[in-house]
Amino acid sequence: MTRAAWLLLVFSLLATAPLAAQDTTPATRSRERLGQLPPRGQRQRITPLPRAGGGTRDTLRLTVDALIDPNPPPGFSYRGSVEPKTVTVGDRFSSGLAVSVAAGTRVEIEAPKDSADRWRVLGRATVSPRDSARTRYLVVVPMVAWVPGMPDTARTELRLTAPDGTVATVPVTLRLPRVRATLPDDTTKWRVRPPHDVWGPSHDWRMIAALALIALLLLAVIAWLAAKLIRARRKRRVPATARQRALALLERARTSGFIEAGNWKAFYTLVAEALRGLAAALDARWSTDLTSEEVIAEMRAAGVAEDRVEALEHLLRVADLAKFARRGRAPDDARRDLDDARRWVESFAAPEPVAEDATVGVAP
């Protein structure tokens, strides 16, 4: 409960004087002595009916603020109030009583309980004296509302202890606020409506077939373009012939930067792979499984021109020294070797097989 609500509750209770402090004029006392009025402790305070068009849920009934008890204690009266008047489910509120008793009487309240758990008391109720004679008390009960549509009042009891020790239990009524629900009363406007029919009430199957055909054509065109793109990339990636693959390896050796970095092993590995790969593709006898010397010997045995064999032998010897002996090479010499390897790849061709001459015998 906020401080503002506490202040409103206190002011609303103090604004209405207890019945014990009212009707104290000489005319009233004389009427009591004559028996025209009952004693103040047994008197009821009836609020007048409200004007038409105003008020709240209490406007069409009489509100009895005093204790309805045939034998109330002498000088006892009370008036109830609640702040705030209207709350939402789960909100806190305070129900209070302004109690008047005989001088020196101690007031205690029993915390009310609801068997249906529609509301609940939070913490402890407070009972505070409002004057030094202890004839006026302010009782505040902090509460919380759990469900809408609670009753207007809740019944509980006050325990009054007189100065001589006499204890009296008096039933009292606590005011309860009007409790609103979290959701509106009419929830039909919040219902989810069914989805709209985008296609329409009629179904044109010819239109559906045409759309399906267009979709299939689009898929076929996309598949054809993808296959064409893949084939073009493969053609660019893998050369068609062995000579083109060898030239691609030599171009890779030239643009790799191995010469500038002095990485002779990697550079001559590419050069030797281009030369040996072309030779193995032209003739199976010059396989890459053979050593460089074995390949040179096989070429001489096959009748390859000596200048072609010597050029290849020089390049393979330099490559083997760079790969296995880590022999260094000058950058200019490496570029010259690369040019010689390119010329060898572009001009080398396997010799034609020589047909054996058939000897025909002539009879003498």
Side-chain angles (χ1 to χ4, degrees), residues 113 118 147 156 173 219 224 239-240 307 313 331 341 352 357:
K113 297 181 181 179
R118 294 168 295 181
V147 295
T156 186
T173 302
L219 290 176
W224 177 75
D307 58 341
E313 183 179 10
E352 296 292 336
D357 295 336

Side-chain angles (χ1 to χ4, degrees), residues 236-283:
R236 290 195 301 267
R237 188 179 305 169
V238 180
T241 63
R243 198 178 305 277
Q244 291 177 350
R245 290 194 292 271
L247 292 175
L249 286 174
L250 294 176
E251 182 64 20
R252 179 182 172 187
R254 186 183 67 83
T255 59
S256 61
F258 292 150
I259 297 177
E260 291 77 4
N263 191 351
W264 307 117
K265 180 178 180 180
F267 173 75
Y268 280 103
T269 298
L270 292 177
V271 173
E273 184 179 352
L275 298 173
R276 296 288 302 272
L278 177 61
L282 294 177
D283 196 327

Side-chain angles (χ1 to χ4, degrees), residues 42 48 95 204 246 336:
Q42 299 180 5
S95 181
D204 191 351
R336 191 180 303 109

Side-chain angles (χ1 to χ4, degrees), residues 204-224:
D204 191 351
W205 300 110
R206 290 175 298 180
M207 181 64 69
I208 296 176
L211 293 177
L213 180 60
I214 292 174
L216 291 176
L217 290 177
L218 290 176
L219 290 176
V221 171
I222 293 173
W224 177 75

Side-chain angles (χ1 to χ4, degrees), residues 7-279:
L7 293 176
L8 288 175
L9 178 63
V10 172
F11 289 149
S12 62
L13 290 173
L14 295 181
T16 57
L19 296 179
Q22 298 177 0
D23 300 335
T24 56
T25 60
T28 303
R29 289 195 295 269
S30 62
R31 293 175 63 187
E32 290 179 0
R33 287 193 299 267
L34 294 175
Q36 298 177 0
L37 289 177
R40 287 192 299 272
Q42 299 180 5
R43 211 176 297 163
Q44 298 177 355
R45 180 179 176 84
I46 307 299
T47 58
L49 287 173
R51 291 177 295 178
T56 59
R57 57 178 176 174
D58 296 333
T59 55
L60 299 181
R61 62 181 178 83
L62 294 177
T63 303
V64 179
D65 295 322
L67 176 67
I68 305 177
D69 190 12
N71 298 310
F76 174 78
S77 65
Y78 75 93
R79 182 178 181 85
S81 181
V82 63
E83 288 294 337
K85 306 296 182 184
T86 304
V87 297
T88 307
V89 172
D91 290 348
R92 299 183 178 186
F93 61 93
S94 292
S95 181
L97 298 173
V99 182
S100 295
V101 293
T105 302
R106 188 172 71 251
V107 179
E108 297 174 344
I109 187 171
E110 181 180 353
K113 297 181 181 179
D114 185 22
S115 58
D117 202 21
R118 294 168 295 181
W119 44 264
R120 189 175 298 176
V121 178
L122 299 177
R124 298 179 57 186
T126 59
V127 181
S128 306
R130 310 306 298 176
D131 57 2
S132 59
R134 294 185 177 271
T135 59
R136 300 173 60 193
Y137 286 87
L138 177 63
V139 181
V140 178
V141 183
M143 307 172 73
V144 63
W146 291 132
V147 295
M150 293 195 316
D152 300 345
T153 58
R155 301 289 293 178
T156 186
E157 294 180 348
L158 289 179
R159 184 179 181 183
L160 307 179
T161 304
D164 57 357
T166 304
V167 179
T169 302
V170 182
V172 293
T173 302
L174 293 175
R175 294 292 187 90
L176 299 180
R178 180 176 179 270
V179 182
R180 298 175 302 186
T182 305
L183 298 177
D185 297 336
D186 184 11
T187 59
T188 56
K189 61 181 180 180
W190 302 105
R191 293 178 181 175
V192 179
R193 297 181 180 180
H196 296 286
D197 191 0
V198 180
W199 187 261
S202 62
H203 301 283
D204 191 351
W205 300 110
R206 290 175 298 180
M207 181 64 69
I208 296 176
L211 293 177
L213 180 60
I214 292 174
L216 291 176
L217 290 177
L218 290 176
L219 290 176
V221 171
I222 293 173
W224 177 75
L225 291 176
K228 185 177 180 180
L229 180 61
I230 292 174
R231 286 196 298 269
R233 287 186 176 181
R234 286 180 177 177
K235 287 181 180 180
R236 290 195 301 267
R237 188 179 305 169
V238 180
T241 63
R243 198 178 305 277
Q244 291 177 350
R245 290 194 292 271
L247 292 175
L249 286 174
L250 294 176
E251 182 64 20
R252 179 182 172 187
R254 186 183 67 83
T255 59
S256 61
F258 292 150
I259 297 177
E260 291 77 4
N263 191 351
W264 307 117
K265 180 178 180 180
F267 173 75
Y268 280 103
T269 298
L270 292 177
V271 173
E273 184 179 352
L275 298 173
R276 296 288 302 272
L278 177 61

